[in-house]
């Protein structure tokens, strides 16, 4: 059938955000005096740095706890922290690098007492650059490459949204609890082995998850792996696994003694749990988490509106959003008839990216408490298509993981007939519906 209707994603955003308003508080508290606060940062003395003609800082001769590397040193722009430049340094605790520094070299901070590093321009971390250091967190917003960079360090959290591969990089980080690596595609050489305190792994693009790269991690509570096509999971403790439609290979072993919660589509989960006892796991289907709010007609423009509602408490959405780098919501729909299909078949057909299925992203919604409502409106439906059904479902996508409503279907004529047959509907509304049917005919 030809596409003869247009789609408008119609909604109104009403979002309130509660946050401290220091400007207002200061104004109220300072009616009789002027209050102002500020902070300043001064680059460290250039003479304390040794830099070569290529911009490589080879050593630091200062004795400050907090170091800000200058943007130029002796007229040279620094581009790299050289091999071993701060190795075994017991003085420096905090260091800020200029954006011109893109590489931290081998053993650069190995066995040092550095606790925090601000390095917004760094894209590469070389071998053992923070090995066995006192570094507390790995927050490197642009780093794509690391080579065994953090093994044995004190880091408790990792937030590296651009990191693409982890090659033995976090072994024996005994204090590491949270890993957010939304671009990570591969791990190797026991990348997270020996991380005995690890609780949360958020790796939305990781292609293959293998428990051997996470050996001795007996405390993982959450694995977010919607992009994985291979998952080999040895269940040695209670955990929740988020999986996507790409999961095709791998096995789940030893779940019987622990609570394994799996959140994913019906087909994918059933394929990987068919050899497990029913009481060995709990499955929460992503195919019916979002609620549908029925359909309405708009007589002013021959429109058919479908409503959807997200209950943020249902799946701990807030916890996911705290780690997410990308989130969206919208609709998938088709004009092709799905009559005669089972609900499972409809769910499988009507998925984002499937052949013959249209996907539209919504940008606005109504919010009230934990509930988010949004609508899809099909407008200007011609008279010869009033009885044609639209098959539609709402979705919420978090870093590539789609969470859906059940599939619903309706036509303009069906909804109009229901309105006319409903004794509780006011006569004025019925007259408008009758008039709209007459006008389009």
């Amino acid at each position: 059938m030809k596409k003869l209707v247009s789609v408008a994603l119609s909604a109104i955003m009403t979002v309130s955000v509660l946050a401290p308003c220091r400007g207002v508080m200061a104004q109220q508290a300072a009616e009789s005096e002027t209050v102002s606060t500020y902070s300043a940062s001064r680059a460290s003395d250039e003479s304390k740095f040794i830099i070569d003609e290529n911009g490589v800082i080879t050593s630091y001769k200062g004795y400050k706890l907090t170091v800000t590397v200058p943007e130029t040193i002796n007229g040279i722009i620094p581009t790299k922290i050289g091999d071993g430049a701060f190795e075994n340094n017991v003085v420096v605790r905090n260091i800020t690098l200029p954006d011109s520094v893109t590489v931290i070299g081998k053993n650069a901070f190995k066995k040092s007492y550095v606790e925090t590093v601000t390095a917004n321009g760094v894209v590469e971390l070389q071998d053992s650059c923070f090995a066995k250091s006192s570094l507390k967190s790995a927050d490197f917003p642009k780093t794509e490459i690391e080579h065994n960079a953090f093994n044995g360090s004190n880091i408790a959290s990792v937030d590296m949204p651009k990191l693409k591969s982890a090659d033995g990089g976090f072994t024996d980080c005994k204090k590491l609890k949270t890993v957010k690596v939304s671009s990570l595609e591969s791990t190797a050489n026991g990348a997270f082995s020996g991380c005995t305190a690890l609780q949360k792994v958020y790796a939305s693009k990781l292609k293959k998850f293998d428990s051997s790269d996470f050996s001795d991690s007996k405390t993982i509570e959450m694995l977010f792996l919607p992009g994985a096509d291979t998952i080999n999971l040895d269940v040695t403790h209670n955990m929740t696994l988020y999986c996507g439609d790409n999961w095709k290979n791998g096995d789940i072993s030893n779940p019987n003694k622990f609570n394994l919660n799996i959140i994913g589509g019906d087909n994918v989960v059933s394929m990987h749990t068919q050899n497990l006892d029913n009481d060995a796991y709990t499955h929460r289907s992503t195919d019916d988490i979002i609620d549908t709010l029925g359909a309405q007609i708009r007589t002013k423009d021959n429109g058919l509106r479908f409503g959807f509602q997200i209950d943020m408490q249902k799946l701990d959405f807030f916890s996911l959003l705290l780690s997410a780098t990308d989130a969206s919501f919208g609709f998938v729909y088709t004009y092709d008839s799905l009559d005669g299909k089972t609900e499972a078949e409809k769910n499988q057909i009507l998925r984002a990216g499937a052949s013959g299925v249209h996907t539209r992203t919504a940008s606005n919604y109504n919010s009230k408490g934990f509930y988010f409502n949004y609508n899809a409106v099909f407008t200007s439906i011609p008279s010869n298509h009033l009885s044609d059904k639209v098959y539609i479902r709402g979705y919420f996508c978090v870093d590539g993981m789609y969470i859906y409503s059940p599939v619903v279907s309706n036509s303009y004529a069906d909804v109009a007939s229901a309105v006319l047959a409903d004794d509780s509907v006011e006569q004025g509304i019925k007259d408008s519906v009758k008039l709209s049917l007459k006008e389009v005919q």
Side-chain angles (χ1 to χ4, degrees), residues 144-165:
E144 297 181 4
I145 304 169
E146 69 80 29
H147 303 280
N148 206 28
F150 302 97
N151 52 307
S153 68
N154 283 343
I155 56 172
S157 65
V158 173
D159 190 356
M160 300 176 68
K162 300 293 185 180
L163 184 65
K164 293 183 179 179
S165 77

Side-chain angles (χ1 to χ4, degrees), residues 267-268 287 343-351 354 393:
N267 282 13
V268 168
D287 284 324
E343 291 304 311
E345 290 172 334
K346 292 178 182 178
N347 287 340
Q348 193 60 26
I349 293 170
L350 210 57
R351 309 184 83 79
R393 66 194 316 199

